[in-house]
Amino acid sequence: MLSRIYGSHQTYFDEKERYCHRVPSTFTEEDHLRLRAAGLVPNTFVQWGHDEVIDRLRQCAKAVTPRRAANAFVASMTSADLSWLTVLPAAVLGRAMPVHDEARMGGGSCRVCFFNADAIDATFEAYMRHAQGASWGEAHPAHGVLALGSALAGPSSAWPTPTPRDVWVFHQLLDLLRGLPPSARYSQARTAIHKARLLSNNRPARCETVLEALAFIGILDTPEHPGLMNRFTSAAERDQRPSVRVEVPAPLAWWSAKEGIQEELVTRLFGHLERPKQEPVAPASPPTKRRKAATPAAPATAKPKSIPGPPTPGSVYAIRFSEDRWGAAYCHEVRTERGVQRGRMEYLDLLSPEPPSAKQVVGLGFKDRLNGERWQTWCSGLDKTTGVKRIATDVPAPAHRQPGPKRVPFGGASDLIQLAGWNFKI
């Protein structure tokens, strides 16, 4: 259910200037009750001061033994929820974190720990831990407090024990990293792990998160950029990258396969988990369930009738912003450059809980950005992007009091979904 809220790109700022996610109107009372019962009410904010966050983080980390955290990390390889991956790096951060005064750097974050004073949506962070195994304090120490607090809130019996398959997968992953060419960087390591199909939820971002965690604690690091179990490094140090094109933080940003892995640290943390002599059988995948027919409680399953074919000038596309918000965009012209066909698109003034029809869009005006500026974009993939369907052709272009924008950015049709908040109060 949380993916319907936090994966929809439908955000706004509330009266306290907090970054919120809109809950679709299609959520039933039963849906809201289930979220409340799980302690996962959307837009539940926490806001602690710097010193309180650091104290909470250090205290939570003391309550977690390295072995329990290591077991949870390995269990997250295949059998346990991805959120358990975060416990080990969060505990390492808390044990390494020194007591310090807040010292701000560019952007307002503390140069020692990355703390900033913004309110944090605790439910969003729980969603990120579950969906990606991310958010353990690498970007804000309060994330580590939330990760450890969630793990410690339940009974000890709830902590996962790695299965033989988990242990085998973890050792296979380490062997894969040991066998990379010396020049391989994190992107090649990520691709190799993804191709090996070892992990549950085997997505590139998931593979990168595992690498970031291993680097964060010190298994993939360099002498100049050590992980936290080898030496405490400040937020300012971890924010250093070889170039602006490198997306991951230190130490992973600087690591290459020629550095190898820190074998002594692997033994210290995971030495009690002996590799099985034979590959354990992977659990059988659950059978694919048939999709249920649409119900009145889920109107978002309604789809507009689509007109197939490449984009043409005068075409209008229905845009699904979220499960209960639809809009439309007009194609002014079409160009093909280097084999890529793009349409110059502009939103129409339509926001509806139902998919629009061809009759509805005729006669509509354009919808400017909320600041009054006219906006257009060149979009590729109009005929193959989920949530973007052509519903009308040969529609006359509406008049507009402003000339077209001087600069028109290039992007994909998915931008029409993701950037709608600039034009609509969704």
Side-chain angles (χ1 to χ4, degrees), residues 76-150:
S76 75
M77 298 294 104
T78 66
S79 67
D81 189 273
L82 268 61
S83 61
W84 287 105
L85 180 147
T86 66
V87 174
L88 177 60
V92 168
L93 176 65
R95 287 172 173 266
M97 183 67 68
V99 175
H100 62 276
D101 294 328
E102 183 177 1
R104 294 188 180 183
M105 56 181 177
S109 297
C110 176
R111 66 181 302 103
V112 178
C113 66
F114 274 130
F115 171 87
N116 67 63
D118 294 342
I120 295 171
D121 182 354
T123 304
F124 173 73
E125 299 306 324
Y127 169 72
M128 292 297 294
R129 293 194 299 272
H130 166 74
Q132 300 182 14
S135 189
W136 59 71
E138 72 280 18
H140 195 302
H143 299 167
V145 175
L146 293 169
L148 294 175
S150 177

Side-chain angles (χ1 to χ4, degrees), residues 378-396:
W378 287 101
C379 289
S380 60
L382 287 164
D383 55 344
K384 56 185 178 182
T385 299
T386 301
V388 178
K389 301 292 183 183
R390 182 163 60 173
I391 58 172
T393 57
D394 300 320
V395 177

Side-chain angles (χ1 to χ4, degrees), residues 49-99:
H50 174 275
D51 293 353
E52 183 180 5
V53 167
I54 299 306
D55 182 63
R56 284 173 179 261
L57 178 65
R58 287 162 54 88
Q59 292 301 319
C60 286
K62 287 180 181 178
V64 177
T65 64
R67 175 166 291 202
R68 289 181 78 197
N71 284 346
F73 185 89
V74 174
S76 75
M77 298 294 104
T78 66
S79 67
D81 189 273
L82 268 61
S83 61
W84 287 105
L85 180 147
T86 66
V87 174
L88 177 60
V92 168
L93 176 65
R95 287 172 173 266
M97 183 67 68
V99 175

Side-chain angles (χ1 to χ4, degrees), residues 187-344:
S187 59
Q188 290 95 330
R190 178 189 61 206
T191 299
I193 295 172
H194 183 239
K195 287 183 176 180
R197 302 183 67 84
L198 293 169
L199 304 173
S200 63
N201 298 289
N202 187 52
R203 303 183 303 272
R206 149 79 153 146
C207 301
E208 186 170 296
T209 299
V210 173
L211 291 171
E212 285 192 46
L214 291 172
F216 188 81
I217 64 180
I219 288 175
L220 304 178
D221 66 358
T222 72
E224 298 80 12
H225 300 276
L228 289 180
M229 290 192 73
N230 297 320
R231 178 177 68 80
F232 176 76
T233 51
S234 68
E237 290 178 274
R238 286 184 273 122
D239 203 32
Q240 295 175 4
R241 293 165 172 79
S243 75
V244 294
R245 294 189 301 273
V246 176
E247 297 178 352
V248 298
L252 188 59
W254 301 88
W255 178 85
S256 65
K258 70 180 179 182
E259 306 287 349
I261 65 176
Q262 297 294 332
E263 301 288 358
E264 183 180 347
L265 184 52
V266 170
T267 300
R268 191 186 348 156
L269 278 174
F270 306 106
H272 63 288
L273 298 172
E274 186 177 350
R275 182 207 299 257
K277 294 180 181 179
Q278 296 182 341
E279 177 183 352
V281 177
S285 300
T288 303
K289 296 181 180 179
R290 291 184 179 179
R291 289 188 176 183
K292 295 182 179 180
T295 66
T301 56
K303 295 181 180 179
K305 292 182 179 180
S306 178
I307 301 174
T312 56
S315 293
V316 174
Y317 290 78
I319 313 296
R320 188 182 185 183
F321 299 144
S322 66
E323 66 183 59
D324 64 340
R325 289 290 187 276
W326 289 82
Y330 183 85
C331 181
H332 289 273
E333 62 175 312
V334 176
R335 292 181 182 176
T336 301
E337 298 178 359
R338 298 181 180 179
V340 179
Q341 194 173 52
R342 293 184 175 89
R344 181 163 59 88

